[in-house]
Amino acid sequence: EVQLQASGGGLVQTGGSLRLSCAASGFTFEDYAIGWYRQAPGKEREAVACITPGHGFTYLIDSVEGRFAISSDNAKNTVYLQMTALKPEDTAVYYCAAGNPIYRGASRCYSELYDYSSWGQGTQVTVSS
């Protein structure tokens, strides 16, 4: 059974930093992609970043590029989202999801190539102005 445990959220001031963790179990970590998503109150969920731990490919959306970084520790089956220079608009519940490969061996973590159908519980990130 695929299980994901997200942690590391909290309350920070504008400009602060947080590191989110997503601990995964129940599947071959290097065969999957891991994505971070967020959902702010009254808004739709949006993809923030993704990584293929087996290939080392990473992707970040434009609005967090240069401020956030995604990485994996394959020995620990854990993906991290390091968030710096946080802004109030980053406030949201952050979720991690495991992407089952649609095309085996795909190196890029895009949703066209991985089916992000397994989700962990969210972790709240609040950035005060």
Side-chain angles (χ1 to χ4, degrees):
E1 179 187 3
V2 174
Q3 292 190 334
L4 302 165
Q5 181 74 35
S7 62
L11 171 64
V12 296
Q13 293 184 334
T14 296
S17 299
L18 284 172
R19 188 178 79 160
L20 305 184
S21 299
C22 176
S25 62
F27 60 96
T28 303
F29 189 65
E30 289 83 356
D31 288 346
Y32 277 59
I34 303 293
W36 282 102
Y37 294 75
R38 65 186 180 186
Q39 187 165 21
K43 295 187 177 181
E44 293 188 356
R45 185 179 65 197
E46 69 170 341
V48 176
C50 66
I51 186 170
T52 46
H55 299 275
F57 178 84
T58 63
Y59 171 77
L60 297 159
I61 60 173
D62 288 347
S63 62
V64 306
E65 182 74 46
R67 299 188 298 121
F68 292 9
I70 186 169
S71 62
S72 69
D73 183 336
N74 292 6
K76 296 182 178 179
N77 285 7
T78 300
V79 169
Y80 303 100
L81 186 67
Q82 179 68 50
M83 306 186 296
T84 63
L86 282 161
K87 305 175 180 180
E89 51 263 44
D90 295 317
T91 295
V93 178
Y94 283 71
Y95 301 88
C96 60
N100 192 12
I102 298 171
Y103 300 99
R104 187 176 179 85
S107 62
R108 302 190 178 197
C109 50
Y110 303 144
S111 59
E112 295 83 358
L113 303 176
Y114 286 85
D115 177 20
Y116 290 90
S117 56
S118 299
W119 294 79
Q121 92 296 349
T123 184
Q124 176 71 47
V125 171
T126 303
V127 185
S128 63
S129 58

